[in-house]
Amino acid sequence: MKRRLVSIDDLSMSDISRLFFELRYKQDACRLPRAPIVMIYFLESSTRTHISFEMAAAKLGAKVISFNSSTSSLNKGESWFESLLTLDAMGPDVIITRTPFLLEENTVEQIQAAIINGGDGCNEHPTQALLDCYTLLEHFDCEDLDGKNILIVGDILHSRVAHSNIKLFQKFKAKLSLLAPPIFSKEMYGCKHYSSFSDVDHKKFDAVMVLRIQKERLEREIGMSDQDYFWHFGMSEERFSKMADHCVLLHPGPMNNKVEIDGNLRGHIRSLISKQVENGVLVRKKLLEQFFI
Ligand code: CP
């Protein structure tokens, strides 16, 4: 059957465990019998996901072809789906997509190539979840996140990263708390909800992940300036200093300095932000190698 990764639920726990095991203990270079072709079909801007898939594919010896929406026949009235079918008909081994909307089952079914969701609207971002979970397991040097308290702060409602991460962290037995203003809050099963830092026991968390406001997906104004948002919900250096002495900091990027986070925190001794980027290449390389080419 054709391989697909649209939701983090498309991988079984044994798939994920094998992937993480190989990542930790077998970093040997893979030799492919022929150079596979990885096609990148992104309809939205991206730095990390796009370039780290390119890096991962290059390290595997695959050929990468990137669709450029601004110079494509989308400008002549072709639909995004017609474009995708056209690229698929050229015969790539795998297509990695990023769409500003939900990647529907009906779309995926019509694609012959293997397909990986590099982020679809407010829905999911499964490879970000894999790299974030792997980064935490590696940092804590453990096989699961049992007993770990993780706080996710920010625009939960519109964040595909939050949706995939919450599912995956829960599969790995983490205890999750979500902090968001009511306009960005979303009920997620098994998570504690907060709407103010003043209600949070800062010392209880082993990790805190900060999310940016997904301004491109907002349907209405949030009724707060960037300065007010930072004051109430932002991760300032002072706020991070109140967290437990071992608490690590994650941000999937892109970061908006002095909106959801103080950019200086990237360089904090307990920041895993650069490690997330580094692991993004390793995780995507191993994922491509094991399941897609
Ligand atoms: N984390 C993430 O998806 O970043 P990009 O939008 O830069 O790919």
Side-chain angles (χ1 to χ4, degrees):
M1 206 181 81
K2 184 183 83 182
R3 265 293 187 178
R4 55 193 288 181
L5 177 57
V6 177
S7 164
I8 193 66
D9 291 332
D10 291 334
L11 289 175
S12 67
M13 277 305 277
S14 86
D15 285 338
I16 297 169
S17 299
R18 185 154 68 95
L19 178 81
F20 287 171
F21 178 84
E22 296 251 337
L23 271 163
R24 282 182 94 172
Y25 304 113
K26 296 186 182 173
Q27 282 292 345
D28 50 319
C30 139
R31 289 192 200 287
L32 297 167
R34 72 170 175 88
I37 297 178
V38 173
M39 195 167 270
I40 299 187
Y41 178 75
F42 275 28
L43 297 178
E44 258 190 17
S45 303
S46 165
T47 299
R48 276 145 289 271
T49 313
H50 187 154
I51 305 298
S52 81
F53 263 117
E54 284 208 21
M55 288 280 292
K59 282 172 182 253
L60 280 172
K63 288 201 185 312
V64 182
I65 298 174
S66 290
F67 173 79
N68 182 340
S69 60
S70 64
T71 57
S72 75
S73 291
L74 289 175
N75 296 329
K76 299 175 186 166
E78 185 168 79
S79 73
W80 70 269
F81 186 50
E82 184 58 34
S83 293
L84 181 59
L85 290 175
T86 301
L87 298 178
D88 188 42
M90 294 176 192
D93 295 280
V94 53
I95 302 179
I96 298 152
T97 60
R98 171 165 289 193
T99 52
F101 43 76
L102 180 77
L103 190 60
E104 298 204 31
E105 178 74 31
N106 181 37
T107 302
V108 176
E109 273 173 3
Q110 294 182 63
I111 303 304
Q112 300 304 310
I115 191 159
I116 301 177
N117 175 11
D120 63 329
C122 300
N123 186 37
E124 289 226 27
H125 195 342
T127 60
Q128 181 73 42
L130 290 170
L131 76 91
D132 289 339
C133 189
Y134 180 70
T135 299
L136 286 173
L137 294 173
E138 183 187 54
H139 175 80
F140 292 120
D141 191 20
C142 54
E143 302 295 316
D144 62 33
L145 298 171
D146 199 6
K148 299 285 184 237
N149 278 293
I150 300 176
L151 176 67
I152 303 180
V153 187
D155 182 1
I156 311 286
L157 181 65
H158 302 100
S159 170
R160 52 201 176 205
V161 174
H163 300 150
S164 289
N165 275 8
I166 289 167
K167 287 182 187 179
L168 188 58
F169 291 169
Q170 286 185 332
K171 286 177 205 265
F172 277 81
K173 305 182 188 161
K175 291 195 188 82
L176 288 175
S177 300
L178 310 179
L179 196 164
I183 190 169
F184 294 151
S185 181
K186 182 175 178 182
E187 283 301 316
M188 298 286 288
Y189 177 79
C191 300
K192 281 198 172 154
H193 289 261
Y194 298 97
S195 55
S196 167
F197 265 109
S198 55
D199 298 331
V200 167
D201 173 3
H202 290 59
K203 298 287 180 209
K204 97 172 191 187
F205 297 104
D206 302 286
V208 55
M209 174 177 282
V210 182
L211 302 172
R212 78 182 169 94
I213 303 173
Q214 313 278 304
K215 287 188 176 169
E216 68 277 26
R217 279 184 268 285
L218 300 187
E219 282 158 11
R220 60 191 165 102
E221 294 291 318
I222 68 167
M224 219 186 294
S225 68
D226 287 349
Q227 288 85 348
D228 283 347
Y229 185 86
F230 186 62
W231 174 258
H232 289 289
F233 300 100
M235 186 55 68
S236 60
E237 293 182 279
E238 188 199 347
R239 196 162 262 153
F240 190 61
S241 73
K242 292 181 183 159
M243 309 302 285
D245 288 343
H246 69 281
C247 178
V248 289
L249 176 68
L250 296 101
H251 191 310
M255 293 201 304
N256 289 162
N257 185 31
K258 296 276 169 65
V259 183
E260 80 281 2
I261 192 167
D262 185 320
N264 287 330
L265 283 169
R266 168 192 265 278
H268 193 282
I269 191 155
R270 282 182 280 111
S271 162
L272 297 180
I273 296 170
S274 294
K275 195 72 185 168
Q276 288 172 274
V277 177
E278 183 185 327
N279 282 342
V281 177
L282 300 179
V283 166
R284 289 175 174 121
K285 174 174 170 278
K286 193 58 86 175
L287 181 80
L288 285 168
E289 180 191 326
Q290 276 198 345
F291 300 113
F292 290 92
I293 52 183

